[in-house]
Amino acid sequence: MKLIIHGGFFSESLTNQEVKKAKQDALREIVTLGHKYLESHTAAQTVVYTVCLLEDCDLFNAGTGSQIQSDGKIRLSASLMDGKTQKFSGVINIEDVKNPICIAEKLMEYDDRVLSGLGANAFAANNGIPYYNPEIPQRRKEYEKKLSDSIRLGTVGCVALDIYGDIAAATSTGGKGFEIPGRVSDSATAAGNYANAYAGISCTGVGEDIVSASVASKIVTRVTDGMPIAIATAKTLDEMKPYDGFAGIIGITNTGDIYHADTHPYMVWALHDGGVEVFE
């Protein structure tokens, strides 16, 4: 059983030791809780549970504490992919919910498994998801000052390998902040979140860059074709260099290889493979 999570890119981790420690402590606690949950649950169930914990922590840009878009509203995106069933589900630009990853999980039961905007909100309401305002005061201050380089830029994600050898990946984001309403990130696409029987990948970074390189699906495909995950990741991230692509990944293979990498400093992460490791 193995688990790895990320909390996006955080530039202040290089300078603000108090914030850095808070994120290290939060990731350490969340990865420990997630690994404990994995002992008695499937990989798919575990990545949803763990991403919920990340969404509920206002240190990260997903769920509570998400970025505010240019029209003053918060819109969330999240996706889930079960490597065992090869099913993908997600919500794009959903509003007024606490845990978008839970709605993505509910959509797994339907034929129409990726919903956006009003359709996603209607689905949530019809399934008893209560109204929730994910805004926190700091986000409002950032919005009012038009700080497009918010210190909490990024996404959250989780990849798990369960006791059955199955892999799942889940990713959730509050967006990049101040974007045009309707902008679609990578987090609810196969470019940013992908898994099969061989590997699972969750991405963070600039969504447009990640979509342009089809990062998650490309890495998983290369691993499926026999390439080690470190080489598959390096090759894929190298292909982003012509446009200085900004991305970070976490991943696990069916052989138990657990991996993380980024193109720019620096992504924060934690993993649990019997012992806990956290970014430094």
Side-chain angles (χ1 to χ4, degrees), residues 54-60 62-66 98 132 134-136:
L54 289 161
E55 289 174 338
D56 290 345
C57 180
D58 66 7
L59 287 169
F60 306 113
T64 301
S66 289
K98 185 178 183 183
Y132 179 80
E135 183 180 310
I136 60 175

Side-chain angles (χ1 to χ4, degrees), residues 7 9 17 19 59 62 66 80 94 114 153 155 179 204 226 255 261:
F9 283 87
Q17 293 302 307
V19 175
L59 287 169
S66 289
L80 167 67
I94 192 169
V114 181
L153 179 64
T155 62
E179 61 263 60
T204 184
T255 58

Side-chain angles (χ1 to χ4, degrees), residues 256-278:
D257 291 330
I258 190 165
Y259 195 71
H260 58 86
D262 49 38
T263 60
H264 296 67
Y266 64 68
M267 180 182 68
V268 301
W269 54 269
L271 64 85
H272 199 312
D273 61 354
V276 177
E277 292 182 38
V278 180

